[in-house]
Structure formats: C-alpha cells, structure tokens
Amino acid sequence: MRITVVTGSASGIGAAVSKALQGAGHRVIGIDRQNADIAADLSTPDGRRAAIDAVLERCGGVLDGLVCCAGVGATAPSAGLVIGVNYFGVTALVDGLADALAKGQRPAALIIGSIASTQQGADSQPMVEAMLAGDEAQARELADALGAPHVAYASSKFAVTRYARQKAVAWGKQGMRLNVVAPGAVETPLLQASKDDPRFGEAVKNFVAPLGRAGEPHEIAGVVAFLQSEQAGFVHGTVVFVDGGMDAMVRPASF
C-alpha cells in the first residue's frame, strides 16, 4: 500500500484529495491545524518541523507520495501569513520529506498552485525573490509592507510553482516526480471567504470560467489522483491547469 501525505486534509481540496487517494488504495496521512492525523501549524518553522517529524515517525522514514494542499487566501489576517503558509509551509514539507520520498516506490509529490500564479505582476514582486532565496523574514516583511494580500497570494503561488519547476531535473535523476496543479475558482471555504469579503467579493463573483461555473473539489482531486498514479509515470515538472478554461480565456496566446 502506498503511503501518501496530504496537507490541508481537513477541508476543501485537501479533504477531496484524501478521499480520492484512499479510494485508489493509498494510506493517507493527513496534516491540518485540527481534525487530522497530524495537527500542525504550517505557518511557523516550529510547526513545519513538528509536522515533518510526526510524518517520519508514522511512515518509518519511507514515503511514496506527498500532496501539498494547505493554503490560505487573500482574506488571511496578514499578507505575511499568506507567504508563510503558501510558500514556506509547502517548501519546508517538500524539502523535509524528500529523503523519505527517495526511499519510496515510484515516489511522486504534487503542489496545489493556482491560476493566480499567472496574474500580471505576480512574478515581478520583490517578495518572490526573497521566497526563492529562502528568506522568510524578508519575504513576509515585503508582503506586509505592500499591504495587498491578493498580490501576496498570487506571488506566493507563482514562487512555489517556480520552486517546483526548478527542482524537476534533480528530482527526475533520482526517479522522483514533482508536479503542480493550478486550479481556478473552486467551491471551497476559501473561495466562499473571498466571495464574502467586501474588498474582493464582487470581482471574485464576476470572474467566471468559460464553462460557466466554479469547479468542485472532487474535480481537482481526480486530476491529483491521476498525477500521483502509475498512469502518470512520465508526467514530471509540469503545471496542469484545472480551471474551466480560465487560463485560456485570460492568456490565449500563452501556454
């Protein structure tokens, strides 16, 4: 039985991914702030370390899969928190569990990114370079100084996507796969919070995919389960948009 860790497993996409992987025969180790196998706060270095240690204890140092779903949106209490969870909370787990994955059977890791990573200007924020340099204090300071949590969100998703792409060669040489799934709007508590926010609500409600609706968590989970399976054994270092056509609508000439 494959052992796969899923962060953000208590709700939304993470809960759907956990269910899909269990249905495919995986033993899932869920991580969330509560209502999970491992309770941990991935916004802090201590919380991340505790999560990694708990995973290694549960899996005996050998892991087959990792899916990083945990994240916060533009309605988070601070832009710095967005950076802490969406970038450092992901990369710490990927790096910290890499050795265990290297010992697994056909190991594969996946990061839940976002269509927001393609947002104009997300790639040029100074906080992106700070994230990629591993300077959490600086990245969080820059994000808070900007005072635009929606920009921090887009930049965090761009940075974590770039991080994953940059690892592709080294991971591939070790027989390890790493991919990113970039959802559009998905009916989750995170999306509902954005709809209810007076700053972003109208824009979120009006940004409708060509298919005319938001996605459902199980639709993202189905793609994740495929990418974590043997059937996707040659899919590596890529970004898969599951967005109802949003990316094609916004960037028809870019792919």
Side-chain angles (χ1 to χ4, degrees), residues 136-150:
E136 183 170 1
Q138 177 71 358
R140 294 181 76 143
E141 181 180 332
L142 288 166
D144 284 333
L146 186 64
H150 62 293

Side-chain angles (χ1 to χ4, degrees), residues 34 42 49 53 74 83 87 96 120 129 131 143 145 147 161 164 173 175 191 199 203 205 210 232 234 238:
Q34 56 188 3
L42 300 183
R49 184 70 255 172
D53 290 344
I83 300 301
Y87 184 81
Q120 187 174 9
E129 296 305 324
M131 282 185 267
T161 300
K173 289 179 178 178
L191 178 65
R199 298 167 296 175
K205 293 172 186 175
F234 201 57
T238 197

